[in-house]
Amino acid sequence: MKPSEFLSTPDPWAHLRRFTAARIAIGRTGGSQTTPTILDFRLSHARARDAVHAAFDPAVVSGPLNDAGIPTETLATPVHDRREYLLRPDLGRRLDEGSAAKLAGREATDLVIIISDGLAAAAAERHAAATVVPLVLELQEAGWAISPVFIIPLARVKVQDEIGAALNARFSLMLLGERPGLGTPDSLGAYFTADPSPACTDAERNCVSNIRPEGLPPAEAAAKLAWLLKESRRLGLSGVHLKDNQPVIALNAPPESLEN
């Protein structure tokens, strides 16, 4: 092999990298990856690990919501710390006794919204309020009754069923940090269920994922969730039976995209 063949070789698809954060067109040195590529991978991996273990500050989420006139309350699961949360998923799927008691005897509501750190506290802190505020305003204008937003550290998606059932809610919606990917340590996911109850399964939920400025921006996620919730209410179903047939133009496509 000639010495020149050991030099870094540009990838002919490199120009496509401006369209995606995915690891494509990374080039090579001989038969190996380049040093910058390896270092970037290690950095992204470290950021993903840090995101999973990062502490969550509920006040960072409740502050903007309260400023927007949306009341919040803090509840808890039986989980004591982040390590137990990762090792015992079952504990994050229910409220502790004190929190469950706080929900007893409350009036029924159309929608209950829950926010948790999940597997990426930064996702909830950065994007949850920006998603919930426009969503609540749109649904309230449509006549929906919405309970205070519950902020629950160290919770799993399933806890929305217990809370929704306790409040006799028509819908429960939970926003929490998704499992970090390489390059996406702050992705927020939103899950909603119609007629929530402890018997609900994941097949009865709808999910809007990758909520972040570089993915689905919070304002667009709010519009998407509002449309899906209204459609779910109209049809009386959710989960695998509810299809997202919303035209893309309703979110962000320019009018000229309809031409030709």
Side-chain angles (χ1 to χ4, degrees):
M1 181 176 291
K2 299 178 180 179
S4 60
E5 295 182 29
F6 287 98
L7 299 177
S8 178
T9 304
D11 194 296
W13 288 6
H15 65 283
L16 297 176
R17 297 188 66 183
R18 70 180 186 272
F19 298 112
T20 177
R23 282 179 165 76
I24 64 169
I26 58 177
R28 62 183 176 85
T29 299
S32 304
Q33 297 184 44
T34 63
T35 297
T37 296
I38 294 173
L39 294 177
D40 180 65
F41 179 90
R42 291 179 177 176
L43 176 60
S44 294
H45 186 258
R47 286 172 173 166
R49 289 176 61 88
D50 288 347
V52 171
H53 295 282
F56 176 52
D57 183 359
V60 174
V61 178
S62 63
L65 293 175
N66 296 157
D67 291 343
I70 300 173
T72 61
E73 296 183 30
T74 302
L75 302 178
T77 66
V79 181
H80 294 97
D81 53 38
R82 174 64 55 177
R83 182 175 185 277
E84 186 175 45
Y85 176 76
L86 297 174
L87 293 175
R88 292 288 306 274
D90 57 308
L91 296 180
R93 295 176 182 139
R94 57 185 175 86
L95 296 174
D96 65 14
E97 293 184 1
S99 295
K102 290 180 181 179
L103 301 182
R106 299 205 184 191
E107 293 184 2
T109 186
D110 289 323
L111 174 66
V112 55
I113 299 174
I114 305 111
I115 298 173
S116 181
D117 47 347
L119 292 171
E125 293 178 350
R126 296 173 186 173
H127 314 312
T131 303
V132 169
V133 170
L135 172 64
V136 168
L137 293 177
E138 180 171 345
L139 292 179
Q140 285 179 333
E141 288 181 0
W144 287 50
I146 302 176
S147 72
V149 174
F150 294 105
I151 302 174
I152 313 176
L154 303 173
R156 301 276 178 171
V157 173
K158 179 65 178 174
V159 77
Q160 71 176 156
D161 297 330
E162 177 183 354
I163 296 172
L167 297 178
N168 194 26
R170 298 182 66 174
F171 296 91
S172 62
L173 168 66
M174 186 163 188
L175 299 93
L176 74 172
E178 297 179 322
R179 181 181 291 105
L182 293 174
T184 56
D186 64 341
S187 180
L188 185 73
Y191 301 79
F192 74 83
T193 307
D195 300 321
S197 75
C200 285
T201 67
D202 288 340
E204 296 167 274
R205 304 187 211 286
N206 292 86
C207 175
V208 174
S209 64
N210 196 30
I211 301 172
R212 59 192 184 98
E214 300 81 5
L216 181 65
E220 294 185 13
K224 172 65 68 177
L225 286 166
W227 187 90
L228 286 169
L229 284 164
K230 292 175 182 177
E231 192 72 357
S232 181
R233 183 173 185 173
R234 182 179 71 85
L235 298 173
L237 46 80
S238 65
V240 297
H241 300 293
L242 178 64
K243 305 304 179 183
D244 181 2
N245 298 317
Q246 183 184 25
V248 175
I249 185 65
L251 281 179
N252 56 12
E256 56 269 22
S257 65
L258 296 181
E259 296 179 0
N260 301 324

